[in-house]
Amino acid sequence: MSTSKRPVYCVHCNAEIESRYDLVVSQSFLSLYPYHNSCYSEAIKGCQSIVLGDHPVNGTASNWSSGFALLIGIILLFISKDNIGGVAAWVLNVVVLLVPLVRFCSWYMYERYLDK
Ligand SMILES: [Zn+2]
Protein backbone atom coordinates (compact mmCIF):
# COMPACT_ATOMS: atom_id res chain seq x y z
CA MET A 1 0.00 0.00 0.00
CA SER A 2 1.33 3.39 -0.92
CA THR A 3 1.50 5.90 1.92
CA SER A 4 3.13 8.76 0.09
CA LYS A 5 3.42 11.99 2.01
CA ARG A 6 0.58 14.45 1.78
CA PRO A 7 0.56 17.49 4.06
CA VAL A 8 -2.17 17.64 6.68
CA TYR A 9 -3.28 21.16 7.64
CA CYS A 10 -4.90 22.23 10.87
CA VAL A 11 -8.37 23.72 10.28
CA HIS A 12 -7.87 26.16 13.17
CA CYS A 13 -4.52 27.83 12.34
CA ASN A 14 -3.94 26.50 8.78
CA ALA A 15 -0.37 25.40 9.66
CA GLU A 16 0.90 21.97 8.68
CA ILE A 17 0.64 19.22 11.26
CA GLU A 18 4.03 17.49 11.47
CA SER A 19 3.54 14.59 13.82
CA ARG A 20 0.89 12.01 14.53
CA TYR A 21 1.21 12.86 18.24
CA ASP A 22 0.28 16.47 17.53
CA LEU A 23 -2.81 15.48 15.53
CA VAL A 24 -6.30 15.54 17.00
CA VAL A 25 -9.11 14.50 14.66
CA SER A 26 -12.50 15.82 15.64
CA GLN A 27 -15.86 14.73 14.33
CA SER A 28 -18.42 17.39 13.56
CA PHE A 29 -21.69 16.09 12.18
CA LEU A 30 -20.57 13.89 9.26
CA SER A 31 -17.12 15.42 8.74
CA LEU A 32 -13.70 14.81 10.27
CA TYR A 33 -11.39 17.76 10.90
CA PRO A 34 -7.65 17.71 11.76
CA TYR A 35 -6.35 19.96 14.55
CA HIS A 36 -3.09 20.54 16.38
CA ASN A 37 -3.27 19.42 19.98
CA SER A 38 -3.15 23.02 21.22
CA CYS A 39 -5.57 24.28 18.56
CA TYR A 40 -8.11 21.64 19.52
CA SER A 41 -7.91 22.82 23.14
CA GLU A 42 -8.49 26.41 22.03
CA ALA A 43 -11.29 25.48 19.65
CA ILE A 44 -13.15 23.40 22.20
CA LYS A 45 -13.05 26.27 24.72
CA GLY A 46 -14.45 28.74 22.18
CA CYS A 47 -17.77 28.86 20.41
CA GLN A 48 -16.78 26.04 18.05
CA SER A 49 -17.45 23.64 20.93
CA ILE A 50 -21.13 23.69 19.95
CA VAL A 51 -20.36 21.78 16.75
CA LEU A 52 -17.13 20.03 17.79
CA GLY A 53 -17.13 16.58 19.28
CA ASP A 54 -15.87 16.41 22.86
CA HIS A 55 -13.85 13.29 22.25
CA PRO A 56 -11.05 13.14 19.66
CA VAL A 57 -11.59 10.42 17.07
CA ASN A 58 -7.92 9.35 17.19
CA GLY A 59 -7.44 9.08 20.97
CA THR A 60 -6.79 6.02 23.11
CA ALA A 61 -10.37 5.99 24.39
CA SER A 62 -11.61 6.05 20.81
CA ASN A 63 -9.34 3.15 19.86
CA TRP A 64 -10.76 1.05 22.69
CA SER A 65 -14.39 1.94 21.98
CA SER A 66 -13.86 1.27 18.24
CA GLY A 67 -12.41 -2.16 18.96
CA PHE A 68 -15.23 -2.93 21.37
CA ALA A 69 -17.89 -1.70 18.92
CA LEU A 70 -16.34 -3.75 16.11
CA LEU A 71 -16.47 -6.86 18.29
CA ILE A 72 -20.10 -6.23 19.32
CA GLY A 73 -21.04 -5.41 15.71
CA ILE A 74 -19.53 -8.64 14.39
CA ILE A 75 -21.26 -10.69 17.09
CA LEU A 76 -24.58 -8.96 16.27
CA LEU A 77 -24.15 -9.87 12.59
CA PHE A 78 -24.29 -13.56 13.46
CA ILE A 79 -27.31 -13.40 15.77
CA SER A 80 -30.68 -13.98 14.13
CA LYS A 81 -32.41 -10.59 14.07
CA ASP A 82 -35.89 -12.11 14.55
CA ASN A 83 -34.91 -13.23 18.04
CA ILE A 84 -33.75 -9.82 19.24
CA GLY A 85 -36.04 -7.21 17.72
CA GLY A 86 -36.05 -7.39 13.90
CA VAL A 87 -35.46 -4.06 12.12
CA ALA A 88 -34.45 -2.24 15.32
CA ALA A 89 -31.62 -4.74 15.81
CA TRP A 90 -30.39 -4.08 12.25
CA VAL A 91 -30.42 -0.33 12.89
CA LEU A 92 -28.50 -0.88 16.15
CA ASN A 93 -26.01 -3.06 14.28
CA VAL A 94 -25.39 -0.37 11.65
CA VAL A 95 -24.97 2.32 14.33
CA VAL A 96 -22.54 0.13 16.29
CA LEU A 97 -20.48 -0.56 13.15
CA LEU A 98 -20.29 3.18 12.34
CA VAL A 99 -17.95 3.72 15.33
CA PRO A 100 -15.01 1.68 13.94
CA LEU A 101 -15.79 3.02 10.44
CA VAL A 102 -15.30 6.61 11.66
CA ARG A 103 -12.03 5.54 13.34
CA PHE A 104 -10.86 3.95 10.08
CA CYS A 105 -11.78 7.09 8.09
CA SER A 106 -9.70 9.20 10.51
CA TRP A 107 -6.69 6.97 9.88
CA TYR A 108 -7.29 6.83 6.13
CA MET A 109 -7.80 10.59 5.68
CA TYR A 110 -5.06 11.98 7.96
CA GLU A 111 -3.02 9.69 10.19
CA ARG A 112 -1.46 7.51 7.50
CA TYR A 113 0.24 10.55 5.96
CA LEU A 114 2.02 11.54 9.18
CA ASP A 115 5.18 10.17 10.73
CA LYS A 116 5.12 9.01 14.30
ZN1 LIG B 1 -3.32 24.41 14.50
Side-chain angles (χ1 to χ4, degrees), residues 32-77:
L32 295 171
Y33 298 108
Y35 286 88
H36 286 110
N37 238 327
S38 54
C39 294
Y40 182 73
S41 308
E42 270 178 43
I44 204 142
K45 281 180 207 157
C47 50
Q48 282 182 312
S49 64
I50 297 165
V51 290
L52 272 182
D54 286 348
H55 305 285
V57 175
N58 62 336
T60 309
S62 175
N63 289 343
W64 278 102
S65 57
S66 297
F68 189 68
L70 185 65
L71 195 70
I72 297 291
I74 288 172
I75 291 170
L76 276 175
L77 282 178

mmCIF file of all heavy atoms in Angstrom, residues 32-77:
data_model
loop_
_atom_site.group_PDB
_atom_site.id
_atom_site.type_symbol
_atom_site.label_atom_id
_atom_site.label_comp_id
_atom_site.label_asym_id
_atom_site.label_seq_id
_atom_site.Cartn_x
_atom_site.Cartn_y
_atom_site.Cartn_z
ATOM 1 N N LEU A 32 -14.837 14.939 9.369
ATOM 2 C CA LEU A 32 -13.704 14.807 10.273
ATOM 3 C C LEU A 32 -12.736 15.943 9.990
ATOM 4 O O LEU A 32 -12.414 16.226 8.835
ATOM 5 C CB LEU A 32 -13.004 13.464 10.054
ATOM 6 C CG LEU A 32 -13.812 12.227 10.398
ATOM 7 C CD1 LEU A 32 -13.087 10.982 9.918
ATOM 8 C CD2 LEU A 32 -14.052 12.142 11.887
ATOM 9 N N TYR A 33 -12.285 16.620 11.057
ATOM 10 C CA TYR A 33 -11.392 17.761 10.896
ATOM 11 C C TYR A 33 -10.099 17.549 11.672
ATOM 12 O O TYR A 33 -10.143 17.174 12.844
ATOM 13 C CB TYR A 33 -12.062 19.043 11.381
ATOM 14 C CG TYR A 33 -13.306 19.404 10.604
ATOM 15 C CD1 TYR A 33 -14.562 19.261 11.169
ATOM 16 C CD2 TYR A 33 -13.199 19.871 9.309
ATOM 17 C CE1 TYR A 33 -15.707 19.586 10.456
ATOM 18 C CE2 TYR A 33 -14.332 20.203 8.589
ATOM 19 C CZ TYR A 33 -15.587 20.052 9.165
ATOM 20 O OH TYR A 33 -16.712 20.367 8.456
ATOM 21 N N PRO A 34 -8.926 17.820 11.044
ATOM 22 C CA PRO A 34 -7.654 17.705 11.755
ATOM 23 C C PRO A 34 -7.315 18.986 12.513
ATOM 24 O O PRO A 34 -7.550 20.088 12.007
ATOM 25 C CB PRO A 34 -6.651 17.469 10.615
ATOM 26 C CG PRO A 34 -7.249 18.168 9.451
ATOM 27 C CD PRO A 34 -8.745 18.116 9.619
ATOM 28 N N TYR A 35 -6.784 18.830 13.720
ATOM 29 C CA TYR A 35 -6.346 19.956 14.551
ATOM 30 C C TYR A 35 -4.978 19.642 15.134
ATOM 31 O O TYR A 35 -4.635 18.475 15.329
ATOM 32 C CB TYR A 35 -7.302 20.165 15.738
ATOM 33 C CG TYR A 35 -8.629 20.779 15.413
ATOM 34 C CD1 TYR A 35 -9.697 19.981 15.042
ATOM 35 C CD2 TYR A 35 -8.828 22.145 15.498
ATOM 36 C CE1 TYR A 35 -10.941 20.531 14.752
ATOM 37 C CE2 TYR A 35 -10.056 22.707 15.212
ATOM 38 C CZ TYR A 35 -11.112 21.887 14.835
ATOM 39 O OH TYR A 35 -12.325 22.431 14.548
ATOM 40 N N HIS A 36 -4.223 20.718 15.484
ATOM 41 C CA HIS A 36 -3.093 20.545 16.381
ATOM 42 C C HIS A 36 -3.651 20.274 17.765
ATOM 43 O O HIS A 36 -4.769 20.675 18.083
ATOM 44 C CB HIS A 36 -2.244 21.820 16.449
ATOM 45 C CG HIS A 36 -1.417 22.071 15.234
ATOM 46 N ND1 HIS A 36 -1.683 23.082 14.354
ATOM 47 C CD2 HIS A 36 -0.321 21.427 14.761
ATOM 48 C CE1 HIS A 36 -0.783 23.065 13.382
ATOM 49 N NE2 HIS A 36 0.047 22.063 13.599
ATOM 50 N N ASN A 37 -2.862 19.650 18.610
ATOM 51 C CA ASN A 37 -3.274 19.419 19.983
ATOM 52 C C ASN A 37 -3.706 20.712 20.662
ATOM 53 O O ASN A 37 -4.782 20.784 21.267
ATOM 54 C CB ASN A 37 -2.091 18.823 20.761
ATOM 55 C CG ASN A 37 -2.445 17.497 21.357
ATOM 56 O OD1 ASN A 37 -3.589 17.278 21.728
ATOM 57 N ND2 ASN A 37 -1.471 16.626 21.460
ATOM 58 N N SER A 38 -2.865 21.747 20.547
ATOM 59 C CA SER A 38 -3.152 23.015 21.223
ATOM 60 C C SER A 38 -4.350 23.727 20.586
ATOM 61 O O SER A 38 -5.157 24.350 21.277
ATOM 62 C CB SER A 38 -1.918 23.915 21.191
ATOM 63 O OG SER A 38 -1.470 24.056 19.868
ATOM 64 N N CYS A 39 -4.458 23.622 19.256
ATOM 65 C CA CYS A 39 -5.567 24.283 18.559
ATOM 66 C C CYS A 39 -6.904 23.636 18.934
ATOM 67 O O CYS A 39 -7.921 24.318 19.052
ATOM 68 C CB CYS A 39 -5.375 24.223 17.056
ATOM 69 S SG CYS A 39 -3.963 25.157 16.479
ATOM 70 N N TYR A 40 -6.877 22.330 19.132
ATOM 71 C CA TYR A 40 -8.107 21.643 19.522
ATOM 72 C C TYR A 40 -8.556 22.130 20.895
ATOM 73 O O TYR A 40 -9.743 22.369 21.112
ATOM 74 C CB TYR A 40 -7.879 20.132 19.534
ATOM 75 C CG TYR A 40 -9.109 19.339 19.891
ATOM 76 C CD1 TYR A 40 -10.156 19.207 18.982
ATOM 77 C CD2 TYR A 40 -9.222 18.715 21.126
ATOM 78 C CE1 TYR A 40 -11.275 18.490 19.299
ATOM 79 C CE2 TYR A 40 -10.344 17.992 21.452
ATOM 80 C CZ TYR A 40 -11.374 17.872 20.542
ATOM 81 O OH TYR A 40 -12.490 17.156 20.871
ATOM 82 N N SER A 41 -7.581 22.312 21.799
ATOM 83 C CA SER A 41 -7.909 22.816 23.138
ATOM 84 C C SER A 41 -8.540 24.206 23.042
ATOM 85 O O SER A 41 -9.519 24.496 23.718
ATOM 86 C CB SER A 41 -6.655 22.902 24.001
ATOM 87 O OG SER A 41 -5.983 21.692 23.995
ATOM 88 N N GLU A 42 -7.939 25.063 22.199
ATOM 89 C CA GLU A 42 -8.488 26.410 22.029
ATOM 90 C C GLU A 42 -9.877 26.354 21.411
ATOM 91 O O GLU A 42 -10.793 27.039 21.858
ATOM 92 C CB GLU A 42 -7.595 27.231 21.098
ATOM 93 C CG GLU A 42 -6.505 27.996 21.779
ATOM 94 C CD GLU A 42 -5.646 28.727 20.759
ATOM 95 O OE1 GLU A 42 -6.213 29.310 19.813
ATOM 96 O OE2 GLU A 42 -4.410 28.692 20.904
ATOM 97 N N ALA A 43 -10.031 25.538 20.387
ATOM 98 C CA ALA A 43 -11.294 25.484 19.654
ATOM 99 C C ALA A 43 -12.416 24.960 20.537
ATOM 100 O O ALA A 43 -13.553 25.434 20.466
ATOM 101 C CB ALA A 43 -11.147 24.613 18.423
ATOM 102 N N ILE A 44 -12.088 24.006 21.395
ATOM 103 C CA ILE A 44 -13.149 23.401 22.202
ATOM 104 C C ILE A 44 -13.571 24.333 23.329
ATOM 105 O O ILE A 44 -14.676 24.232 23.846
ATOM 106 C CB ILE A 44 -12.719 22.011 22.709
ATOM 107 C CG1 ILE A 44 -13.942 21.169 23.017
ATOM 108 C CG2 ILE A 44 -11.817 22.090 23.926
ATOM 109 C CD1 ILE A 44 -13.789 19.743 22.655
ATOM 110 N N LYS A 45 -12.682 25.279 23.698
ATOM 111 C CA LYS A 45 -13.050 26.270 24.720
ATOM 112 C C LYS A 45 -13.916 27.371 24.123
ATOM 113 O O LYS A 45 -14.707 27.979 24.805
ATOM 114 C CB LYS A 45 -11.787 26.902 25.321
ATOM 115 C CG LYS A 45 -11.111 26.048 26.351
ATOM 116 C CD LYS A 45 -9.886 26.771 26.881
ATOM 117 C CE LYS A 45 -8.853 25.794 27.371
ATOM 118 N NZ LYS A 45 -7.513 26.372 27.374
ATOM 119 N N GLY A 46 -13.728 27.646 22.837
ATOM 120 C CA GLY A 46 -14.448 28.737 22.184
ATOM 121 C C GLY A 46 -15.828 28.306 21.718
ATOM 122 O O GLY A 46 -16.348 27.274 22.114
ATOM 123 N N CYS A 47 -16.404 29.116 20.831
ATOM 124 C CA CYS A 47 -17.767 28.861 20.407
ATOM 125 C C CYS A 47 -17.881 27.691 19.435
ATOM 126 O O CYS A 47 -18.969 27.231 19.144
ATOM 127 C CB CYS A 47 -18.379 30.123 19.797
ATOM 128 S SG CYS A 47 -17.365 30.899 18.551
ATOM 129 N N GLN A 48 -16.728 27.212 18.936
ATOM 130 C CA GLN A 48 -16.784 26.042 18.052
ATOM 131 C C GLN A 48 -17.191 24.784 18.800
ATOM 132 O O GLN A 48 -17.524 23.781 18.195
ATOM 133 C CB GLN A 48 -15.414 25.813 17.414
ATOM 134 C CG GLN A 48 -15.109 26.738 16.267
ATOM 135 C CD GLN A 48 -13.753 26.416 15.658
ATOM 136 O OE1 GLN A 48 -12.767 26.260 16.361
ATOM 137 N NE2 GLN A 48 -13.718 26.285 14.354
ATOM 138 N N SER A 49 -17.135 24.838 20.151
ATOM 139 C CA SER A 49 -17.445 23.643 20.932
ATOM 140 C C SER A 49 -18.877 23.184 20.734
ATOM 141 O O SER A 49 -19.219 22.046 21.034
ATOM 142 C CB SER A 49 -17.163 23.899 22.413
ATOM 143 O OG SER A 49 -18.024 24.914 22.875
ATOM 144 N N ILE A 50 -19.738 24.069 20.207
ATOM 145 C CA ILE A 50 -21.127 23.695 19.949
ATOM 146 C C ILE A 50 -21.186 22.613 18.872
ATOM 147 O O ILE A 50 -21.966 21.670 18.967
ATOM 148 C CB ILE A 50 -21.949 24.931 19.511
ATOM 149 C CG1 ILE A 50 -21.973 25.952 20.652
ATOM 150 C CG2 ILE A 50 -23.359 24.546 19.120
ATOM 151 C CD1 ILE A 50 -22.429 27.326 20.225
ATOM 152 N N VAL A 51 -20.326 22.735 17.847
ATOM 153 C CA VAL A 51 -20.363 21.776 16.749
ATOM 154 C C VAL A 51 -19.257 20.734 16.839
ATOM 155 O O VAL A 51 -19.301 19.732 16.150
ATOM 156 C CB VAL A 51 -20.290 22.484 15.377
ATOM 157 C CG1 VAL A 51 -21.569 23.240 15.098
ATOM 158 C CG2 VAL A 51 -19.090 23.395 15.298
ATOM 159 N N LEU A 52 -18.240 20.970 17.680
ATOM 160 C CA LEU A 52 -17.126 20.025 17.790
ATOM 161 C C LEU A 52 -17.487 18.872 18.706
ATOM 162 O O LEU A 52 -18.176 19.057 19.699
ATOM 163 C CB LEU A 52 -15.889 20.720 18.378
ATOM 164 C CG LEU A 52 -14.924 21.411 17.438
ATOM 165 C CD1 LEU A 52 -13.767 21.974 18.231
ATOM 166 C CD2 LEU A 52 -14.426 20.449 16.400
ATOM 167 N N GLY A 53 -16.958 17.694 18.378
ATOM 168 C CA GLY A 53 -17.128 16.577 19.275
ATOM 169 C C GLY A 53 -16.210 16.727 20.479
ATOM 170 O O GLY A 53 -15.111 17.241 20.358
ATOM 171 N N ASP A 54 -16.676 16.296 21.638
ATOM 172 C CA ASP A 54 -15.874 16.407 22.863
ATOM 173 C C ASP A 54 -14.706 15.438 22.877
ATOM 174 O O ASP A 54 -13.699 15.692 23.501
ATOM 175 C CB ASP A 54 -16.740 16.122 24.094
ATOM 176 C CG ASP A 54 -17.672 17.277 24.376
ATOM 177 O OD1 ASP A 54 -17.471 18.330 23.772
ATOM 178 O OD2 ASP A 54 -18.576 17.096 25.199
ATOM 179 N N HIS A 55 -14.868 14.320 22.202
ATOM 180 C CA HIS A 55 -13.845 13.290 22.255
ATOM 181 C C HIS A 55 -13.132 13.180 20.916
ATOM 182 O O HIS A 55 -13.774 12.986 19.893
ATOM 183 C CB HIS A 55 -14.478 11.940 22.606
ATOM 184 C CG HIS A 55 -15.276 12.002 23.872
ATOM 185 N ND1 HIS A 55 -14.679 12.053 25.100
ATOM 186 C CD2 HIS A 55 -16.600 12.055 24.090
ATOM 187 C CE1 HIS A 55 -15.620 12.118 26.030
ATOM 188 N NE2 HIS A 55 -16.796 12.123 25.440
ATOM 189 N N PRO A 56 -11.785 13.303 20.915
ATOM 190 C CA PRO A 56 -11.046 13.145 19.662
ATOM 191 C C PRO A 56 -11.275 11.757 19.065
ATOM 192 O O PRO A 56 -11.383 10.772 19.800
ATOM 193 C CB PRO A 56 -9.592 13.302 20.090
ATOM 194 C CG PRO A 56 -9.619 13.934 21.421
ATOM 195 C CD PRO A 56 -10.919 13.589 22.053
ATOM 196 N N VAL A 57 -11.352 11.699 17.742
ATOM 197 C CA VAL A 57 -11.594 10.423 17.068
ATOM 198 C C VAL A 57 -10.351 9.532 17.128
ATOM 199 O O VAL A 57 -10.454 8.311 17.094
ATOM 200 C CB VAL A 57 -12.014 10.684 15.598
ATOM 201 C CG1 VAL A 57 -12.158 9.398 14.825
ATOM 202 C CG2 VAL A 57 -13.306 11.467 15.569
ATOM 203 N N ASN A 58 -9.148 10.144 17.259
ATOM 204 C CA ASN A 58 -7.918 9.345 17.191
ATOM 205 C C ASN A 58 -7.257 9.136 18.555
ATOM 206 O O ASN A 58 -6.085 8.866 18.631
ATOM 207 C CB ASN A 58 -6.932 9.981 16.218
ATOM 208 C CG ASN A 58 -6.510 11.361 16.669
ATOM 209 O OD1 ASN A 58 -7.221 12.018 17.414
ATOM 210 N ND2 ASN A 58 -5.360 11.796 16.215
ATOM 211 N N GLY A 59 -8.016 9.271 19.640
ATOM 212 C CA GLY A 59 -7.438 9.076 20.968
ATOM 213 C C GLY A 59 -7.447 7.622 21.410
ATOM 214 O O GLY A 59 -7.983 6.758 20.732
ATOM 215 N N THR A 60 -6.835 7.371 22.564
ATOM 216 C CA THR A 60 -6.788 6.017 23.112
ATOM 217 C C THR A 60 -8.187 5.509 23.440
ATOM 218 O O THR A 60 -8.526 4.358 23.145
ATOM 219 C CB THR A 60 -5.924 6.003 24.386
ATOM 220 O OG1 THR A 60 -4.684 6.620 24.102
ATOM 221 C CG2 THR A 60 -5.687 4.591 24.866
ATOM 222 N N ALA A 61 -9.000 6.384 24.040
ATOM 223 C CA ALA A 61 -10.370 5.987 24.394
ATOM 224 C C ALA A 61 -11.149 5.594 23.149
ATOM 225 O O ALA A 61 -11.909 4.620 23.150
ATOM 226 C CB ALA A 61 -11.067 7.128 25.122
ATOM 227 N N SER A 62 -10.919 6.341 22.064
ATOM 228 C CA SER A 62 -11.608 6.052 20.811
ATOM 229 C C SER A 62 -11.143 4.717 20.220
ATOM 230 O O SER A 62 -11.945 3.964 19.661
ATOM 231 C CB SER A 62 -11.368 7.187 19.824
ATOM 232 O OG SER A 62 -11.930 6.876 18.579
ATOM 233 N N ASN A 63 -9.842 4.432 20.357
ATOM 234 C CA ASN A 63 -9.338 3.145 19.865
ATOM 235 C C ASN A 63 -10.010 1.987 20.589
ATOM 236 O O ASN A 63 -10.418 1.008 19.963
ATOM 237 C CB ASN A 63 -7.824 3.057 20.079
ATOM 238 C CG ASN A 63 -7.075 3.979 19.135
ATOM 239 O OD1 ASN A 63 -7.614 4.436 18.145
ATOM 240 N ND2 ASN A 63 -5.827 4.241 19.462
ATOM 241 N N TRP A 64 -10.131 2.118 21.908
ATOM 242 C CA TRP A 64 -10.763 1.055 22.694
ATOM 243 C C TRP A 64 -12.234 0.908 22.345
ATOM 244 O O TRP A 64 -12.728 -0.212 22.145
ATOM 245 C CB TRP A 64 -10.598 1.332 24.192
ATOM 246 C CG TRP A 64 -9.272 0.895 24.696
ATOM 247 C CD1 TRP A 64 -8.197 1.692 24.956
ATOM 248 C CD2 TRP A 64 -8.845 -0.445 24.965
ATOM 249 N NE1 TRP A 64 -7.145 0.921 25.372
ATOM 250 C CE2 TRP A 64 -7.507 -0.383 25.401
ATOM 251 C CE3 TRP A 64 -9.473 -1.679 24.882
ATOM 252 C CZ2 TRP A 64 -6.786 -1.522 25.745
ATOM 253 C CZ3 TRP A 64 -8.753 -2.808 25.231
ATOM 254 C CH2 TRP A 64 -7.434 -2.720 25.653
ATOM 255 N N SER A 65 -12.958 2.047 22.266
ATOM 256 C CA SER A 65 -14.388 1.942 21.984
ATOM 257 C C SER A 65 -14.632 1.435 20.567
ATOM 258 O O SER A 65 -15.601 0.720 20.314
ATOM 259 C CB SER A 65 -15.108 3.266 22.239
ATOM 260 O OG SER A 65 -14.539 4.280 21.475
ATOM 261 N N SER A 66 -13.718 1.779 19.612
ATOM 262 C CA SER A 66 -13.863 1.272 18.241
ATOM 263 C C SER A 66 -13.668 -0.240 18.199
ATOM 264 O O SER A 66 -14.427 -0.953 17.539
ATOM 265 C CB SER A 66 -12.839 1.922 17.313
ATOM 266 O OG SER A 66 -13.053 3.286 17.246
ATOM 267 N N GLY A 67 -12.656 -0.724 18.912
ATOM 268 C CA GLY A 67 -12.411 -2.156 18.961
ATOM 269 C C GLY A 67 -13.577 -2.897 19.582
ATOM 270 O O GLY A 67 -14.020 -3.932 19.081
ATOM 271 N N PHE A 68 -14.096 -2.316 20.680
ATOM 272 C CA PHE A 68 -15.228 -2.934 21.372
ATOM 273 C C PHE A 68 -16.471 -2.933 20.475
ATOM 274 O O PHE A 68 -17.176 -3.946 20.366
ATOM 275 C CB PHE A 68 -15.494 -2.157 22.670
ATOM 276 C CG PHE A 68 -16.484 -2.803 23.570
ATOM 277 C CD1 PHE A 68 -16.197 -4.005 24.201
ATOM 278 C CD2 PHE A 68 -17.707 -2.205 23.798
ATOM 279 C CE1 PHE A 68 -17.113 -4.598 25.030
ATOM 280 C CE2 PHE A 68 -18.639 -2.793 24.630
ATOM 281 C CZ PHE A 68 -18.342 -4.000 25.252
ATOM 282 N N ALA A 69 -16.725 -1.805 19.804
ATOM 283 C CA ALA A 69 -17.893 -1.698 18.922
ATOM 284 C C ALA A 69 -17.779 -2.661 17.743
ATOM 285 O O ALA A 69 -18.773 -3.259 17.324
ATOM 286 C CB ALA A 69 -18.038 -0.265 18.422
ATOM 287 N N LEU A 70 -16.551 -2.820 17.226
ATOM 288 C CA LEU A 70 -16.345 -3.750 16.114
ATOM 289 C C LEU A 70 -16.668 -5.180 16.549
ATOM 290 O O LEU A 70 -17.343 -5.925 15.833
ATOM 291 C CB LEU A 70 -14.895 -3.648 15.625
ATOM 292 C CG LEU A 70 -14.537 -4.469 14.391
ATOM 293 C CD1 LEU A 70 -15.297 -3.968 13.174
ATOM 294 C CD2 LEU A 70 -13.039 -4.409 14.116
ATOM 295 N N LEU A 71 -16.210 -5.535 17.751
ATOM 296 C CA LEU A 71 -16.471 -6.862 18.295
ATOM 297 C C LEU A 71 -17.980 -7.099 18.476
ATOM 298 O O LEU A 71 -18.528 -8.107 18.017
ATOM 299 C CB LEU A 71 -15.747 -6.996 19.638
ATOM 300 C CG LEU A 71 -15.596 -8.392 20.194
ATOM 301 C CD1 LEU A 71 -14.609 -9.179 19.345
ATOM 302 C CD2 LEU A 71 -15.114 -8.328 21.635
ATOM 303 N N ILE A 72 -18.657 -6.127 19.099
ATOM 304 C CA ILE A 72 -20.103 -6.232 19.317
ATOM 305 C C ILE A 72 -20.831 -6.299 17.971
ATOM 306 O O ILE A 72 -21.747 -7.099 17.773
ATOM 307 C CB ILE A 72 -20.624 -5.020 20.136
ATOM 308 C CG1 ILE A 72 -19.995 -4.994 21.527
ATOM 309 C CG2 ILE A 72 -22.145 -5.020 20.231
ATOM 310 C CD1 ILE A 72 -20.424 -6.079 22.450
ATOM 311 N N GLY A 73 -20.400 -5.447 17.023
ATOM 312 C CA GLY A 73 -21.039 -5.409 15.707
ATOM 313 C C GLY A 73 -20.916 -6.730 14.974
ATOM 314 O O GLY A 73 -21.861 -7.190 14.334
ATOM 315 N N ILE A 74 -19.741 -7.357 15.062
ATOM 316 C CA ILE A 74 -19.528 -8.644 14.387
ATOM 317 C C ILE A 74 -20.373 -9.733 15.047
ATOM 318 O O ILE A 74 -20.991 -10.551 14.363
ATOM 319 C CB ILE A 74 -18.023 -8.999 14.380
ATOM 320 C CG1 ILE A 74 -17.288 -8.081 13.399
ATOM 321 C CG2 ILE A 74 -17.812 -10.458 13.988
ATOM 322 C CD1 ILE A 74 -15.776 -8.207 13.439
ATOM 323 N N ILE A 75 -20.427 -9.702 16.383
ATOM 324 C CA ILE A 75 -21.259 -10.689 17.087
ATOM 325 C C ILE A 75 -22.729 -10.509 16.692
ATOM 326 O O ILE A 75 -23.433 -11.471 16.403
ATOM 327 C CB ILE A 75 -21.075 -10.557 18.619
ATOM 328 C CG1 ILE A 75 -19.661 -11.021 19.010
ATOM 329 C CG2 ILE A 75 -22.131 -11.359 19.368
ATOM 330 C CD1 ILE A 75 -19.283 -10.721 20.444
ATOM 331 N N LEU A 76 -23.186 -9.235 16.637
ATOM 332 C CA LEU A 76 -24.581 -8.957 16.271
ATOM 333 C C LEU A 76 -24.913 -9.444 14.867
ATOM 334 O O LEU A 76 -26.052 -9.837 14.592
ATOM 335 C CB LEU A 76 -24.872 -7.460 16.374
ATOM 336 C CG LEU A 76 -25.236 -6.905 17.745
ATOM 337 C CD1 LEU A 76 -25.376 -5.396 17.672
ATOM 338 C CD2 LEU A 76 -26.529 -7.521 18.260
ATOM 339 N N LEU A 77 -23.909 -9.424 13.966
ATOM 340 C CA LEU A 77 -24.149 -9.868 12.588
ATOM 341 C C LEU A 77 -24.549 -11.346 12.535
ATOM 342 O O LEU A 77 -25.285 -11.759 11.636
ATOM 343 C CB LEU A 77 -22.889 -9.670 11.735
ATOM 344 C CG LEU A 77 -22.584 -8.265 11.241
ATOM 345 C CD1 LEU A 77 -21.277 -8.260 10.462
ATOM 346 C CD2 LEU A 77 -23.706 -7.736 10.369
#
